[in-house]
Amino acid sequence: MARQTLAGAAGVAAAAAALLILPLVTSQSLFPMPPCGPSSFPLHEATIPQIQTALSSGELTSVQLVTCYLARTSQTNPYINSLLEANPDALAIAAQLDAERERGKKTRGPLHGIPFTIKENIATSDGMQTTAGSWALMGSVAPRDAFIVSRLRSAGAILLGKATLSEWADMRSNNYSEGYSGRGGQARSPYNLTVNPGGSSSGSAAGVAANAATFSIGTETDGSVINPAMRNSIVGIKPTVGLTSRDGVVPESEHFDTVGTFGKTVGDAVLALDAVYGEDRRDNYTAAQRGRTPRGGGYAQFLSTKGVLKGAVFGLPWMSFWRHADPEQLRVLGGLLALIESAGATIINGTEIANYKTIVSPDGWNWDYGTTRGFPNESEYTVVKVDFYNNIKKYLFELGNTDIRSLEDIVQYNYDNDGSEGGNPWPLGHPAFYSGQDGFLASLETKGVQDETYFQALEFVQSSSRKGIDDALTYRGKKLAGLLVPPAVGQSYQVAAQAGYPVITVPAGTHSVTGMGFGLAILQTAWAEAELVKWASAIEDLTKGTQYQRALPKWNESRRRNIPLLNIYEGSD
């Protein structure tokens, strides 16, 4: 999630107006995706169930499928750089799964033979690297697959490769080019190659949006799943902290980190979620899900259609979030809200986040808003800085073949490799890391000490955000179906991140100036993923054939290669 604007607040509108937008053409016409395999299966925009049907009927094999996705990556990666590293074992794994399907005439489940990508900060014990985008960890050896990778392999999914990301998942710098890493370079959005693609799971979202992967896995501390999903017009699910294991994930904060999923549809994102959630003895936070997950199967059983919207009651926290949205977004999303009401739902305006005047920044996403108000003991960033210092040391301890063992080591490496890793602020370092490694230095200053200020901040941030959402979800003594929010207003998903609560975003439109996507998101309380799946899939079904359905990328500015990217947030004031 972007911390500050590289263009500067006054220059954002001018930069947007100055963009030389190419003629609006679909991805099919600019980057045509040919049919896949001898049967000419239409892979472009194909969903997991559609692909699985083709695999089951023999119309398509997983080897053919992987080959087609690798060809698509070869076609699009020179432009959007969504894949940092391809899995050299992908074709061999596909052949094994094809043989398994043929031999037993059965599959492991809905993901059998389906290719996917993961964010490059998720560990694998194979021929690929896990570096969080930093040259500092090049050559290091992870002790095992991350828990979620192991789950996906067991489900029969094929790891196509690792997606580009904002280096160290945005922790290292507070003013930087979103989606850039020293090792991976600049990830770009297929909707516009010159502006912020969303992050830090930038390549995960961009690759799915460009049809270079069926689904992808990302990570979020505060916005890094919802933000890129929204900006790339796909579905993103950020689960309750503790639903998905963080074992094997390069950490930021144990209190806020979670693993989420990306798909072109709600169904695809949910099938991925079903494969990865579960208890893990190496992540004690996952024990909290016991008794709080669906019986009789995963979350896919809650997928629904527009008919369920009749009688549903949603809340709309106007003063908390909506008033910060720009006029175009308000106009488009207002039309979508009217469509939802026409399906029989009721939307109650003014269901505000409790104490929003104190806990919601009026000036955009700000994870140090407590300090901005003069109270560092009420700041999310106070917690994250300390957590990162301690959590990264624990992660590095398990790695083999590296002498990087602490944040001090990482900071020194960046100074020693200033030209590639931007240890110093620009112009001494790298233009993509404009403020150098100020995020790391802020964490380093804490030395990981959990003092009174730290514990006060943790208690305040978690309790106030949880009470804020839970109170807003209750109207006249009854529980609402969810809070409808504009995710382009970053404060919306920030409050959910601080609470550790789940969020889902679905496509809703694209901005007329830049072509970047924006969405409609739903907030809920802890462990309410079933509710999110039910309502998001119903809204998705409702928007089919309308202006609000997922729009294909336009590949605006496909010939430009600016670094840093323009940090334009079209949907927020």
Side-chain angles (χ1 to χ4, degrees):
M1 175 62 208
R3 313 305 184 204
Q4 298 175 12
T5 174
L6 291 169
V12 168
L19 284 173
L20 300 176
I21 304 298
L22 292 177
L24 297 183
V25 289
T26 68
S27 64
Q28 274 293 74
S29 58
L30 188 57
F31 289 90
M33 187 174 186
C36 184
S39 67
S40 296
F41 177 77
L43 188 55
H44 185 257
E45 289 292 290
T47 64
I48 291 174
Q50 290 168 342
I51 295 171
Q52 195 59 250
T53 297
L55 290 170
S56 298
S57 69
E59 182 182 357
L60 199 61
T61 69
S62 290
V63 168
Q64 292 166 351
L65 188 58
V66 167
T67 301
C68 290
Y69 274 121
L70 289 175
R72 178 64 169 176
T73 300
S74 179
Q75 178 190 35
T76 61
N77 224 48
Y79 294 86
I80 60 173
N81 191 33
S82 62
L83 194 72
L84 194 156
E85 183 176 3
N87 183 4
D89 302 325
L91 283 169
I93 295 170
Q96 175 190 338
L97 288 163
D98 279 338
E100 193 174 300
R101 183 189 297 269
E102 179 63 27
R103 183 172 58 250
K105 298 296 182 183
K106 61 181 180 179
T107 65
R108 303 186 191 186
L111 298 186
H112 186 110
I114 303 293
F116 72 101
T117 62
I118 59 173
K119 190 176 180 179
E120 199 268 355
N121 65 342
I122 300 174
T124 55
S125 182
D126 54 15
M128 291 184 289
Q129 300 284 326
T130 306
T131 66
S134 170
W135 289 112
L137 292 188
M138 190 69 180
S140 63
V141 177
R144 60 190 170 274
D145 279 344
F147 178 83
I148 62 105
V149 172
S150 177
R151 298 270 293 193
L152 285 162
R153 292 195 202 272
S154 296
I158 302 168
L159 180 53
L160 198 64
K162 295 196 173 186
T164 45
L165 73 165
S166 302
E167 188 171 309
W168 295 104
D170 288 341
M171 183 63 204
R172 56 155 292 153
S173 306
N174 288 309
N175 192 346
Y176 58 94
S177 186
E178 187 75 270
Y180 186 89
S181 69
R183 179 172 173 244
Q186 182 66 64
R188 300 176 188 270
S189 170
Y191 289 84
N192 190 314
L193 278 72
T194 67
V195 304
N196 181 343
S200 60
S201 305
S202 310
S204 292
V208 172
N211 280 275
T214 315
F215 69 92
S216 191
I217 305 298
T219 65
E220 172 166 325
T221 304
D222 187 339
S224 290
V225 167
I226 298 302
N227 175 258
M230 172 266 300
R231 290 183 66 77
N232 288 279
S233 285
I234 61 173
V235 175
I237 300 176
K238 177 261 180 185
T240 303
V241 173
L243 185 66
T244 51
S245 170
R246 290 85 51 88
D247 175 62
V249 176
V250 179
E252 195 160 313
S253 168
E254 65 183 271
H255 292 99
F256 307 117
D257 288 353
T258 189
V259 173
T261 64
F262 298 96
K264 292 184 291 293
T265 66
V266 175
D268 283 1
V270 170
L271 288 172
L273 178 64
D274 278 349
V276 299
Y277 84 85
E279 288 188 57
D280 175 18
R281 62 182 178 83
R282 289 193 173 95
D283 184 349
N284 63 323
Y285 281 68
T286 63
Q289 69 184 261
R290 199 170 302 155
R292 293 168 166 167
T293 54
R295 294 182 178 181
Y299 293 97
Q301 65 183 297
F302 299 102
L303 291 168
S304 63
T305 57
K306 60 186 178 183
V308 304
L309 290 169
K310 186 175 183 179
V313 182
F314 296 96
L316 192 144
W318 175 266
M319 294 300 294
S320 304
F321 307 125
W322 283 86
R323 66 187 175 114
H324 299 296
D326 76 4
E328 181 176 18
Q329 183 185 193
L330 286 176
R331 175 179 57 80
V332 175
L333 290 181
L336 177 53
L337 295 177
L339 183 64
I340 294 170
E341 288 181 317
S342 73
T346 299
I347 299 175
I348 308 219
N349 197 357
T351 54
E352 304 300 338
I353 302 297
N355 203 24
Y356 74 88
K357 292 182 180 179
T358 297
I359 67 175
V360 176
S361 165
D363 301 312
W365 186 99
N366 182 357
W367 68 349
D368 204 14
Y369 183 53
T371 302
T372 300
R373 295 187 289 105
F375 299 96
N377 63 334
E378 296 181 357
S379 172
E380 173 190 355
Y381 195 41
T382 296
V383 178
V384 173
K385 288 185 295 184
V386 173
D387 282 354
F388 181 75
Y389 184 92
N390 296 318
N391 296 164
I392 194 63
K393 182 176 289 187
K394 180 179 178 181
Y395 175 85
L396 294 171
F397 177 79
E398 287 198 277
L399 298 185
N401 197 43
T402 182
D403 57 359
I404 303 294
R405 297 297 179 192
S406 65
L407 179 55
E408 286 85 353
D409 293 339
I410 299 170
V411 167
Q412 189 59 52
Y413 183 94
N414 291 343
Y415 281 137
D416 293 342
N417 297 272
D418 205 18
S420 59
E421 284 294 349
N424 287 294
W426 178 255
L428 295 178
H430 193 286
F433 301 127
Y434 196 82
S435 61
Q437 53 183 332
D438 56 328
F440 280 173
L441 295 178
S443 177
L444 191 63
E445 188 177 356
T446 73
K447 295 297 182 182
V449 175
Q450 297 176 331
D451 57 14
E452 184 178 7
T453 300
Y454 168 87
F455 285 111
Q456 287 178 353
L458 177 60
E459 194 281 330
F460 177 84
V461 168
Q462 289 186 328
S463 63
S464 61
S465 57
R466 290 170 182 174
K467 176 176 170 51
I469 293 174
D470 290 341
D471 284 0
L473 282 167
T474 303
Y475 180 75
R476 293 183 177 176
K478 294 185 178 181
K479 187 73 177 291
L480 298 175
L483 301 177
L484 302 177
V485 300
V489 176
Q491 302 96 307
S492 62
Y493 54 72
Q494 179 163 45
V495 171
Q498 292 171 347
Y501 283 4
V503 187
I504 191 168
T505 183
V506 295
T510 54
H511 197 270
S512 60
V513 175
T514 62
M516 293 298 292
F518 57 85
L520 179 69
I522 310 174
L523 308 187
Q524 255 293 356
T525 192
W527 316 110
E529 281 78 3
E531 289 283 300
L532 296 183
V533 170
K534 176 182 179 180
W535 302 120
S537 56
I539 292 170
E540 178 185 67
D541 182 54
L542 179 67
T543 62
K544 288 178 181 177
T546 75
Q547 70 181 86
Y548 310 108
Q549 69 179 2
R550 166 174 150 75
L552 295 179
K554 304 296 185 183
W555 300 87
N556 293 323
E557 302 285 14
S558 61
R559 296 179 61 189
R560 293 184 64 182
R561 295 294 182 275
N562 55 306
I563 293 178
L565 296 183
L566 296 171
N567 202 7
I568 298 170
Y569 275 89
E570 308 88 342
S572 176
D573 64 1

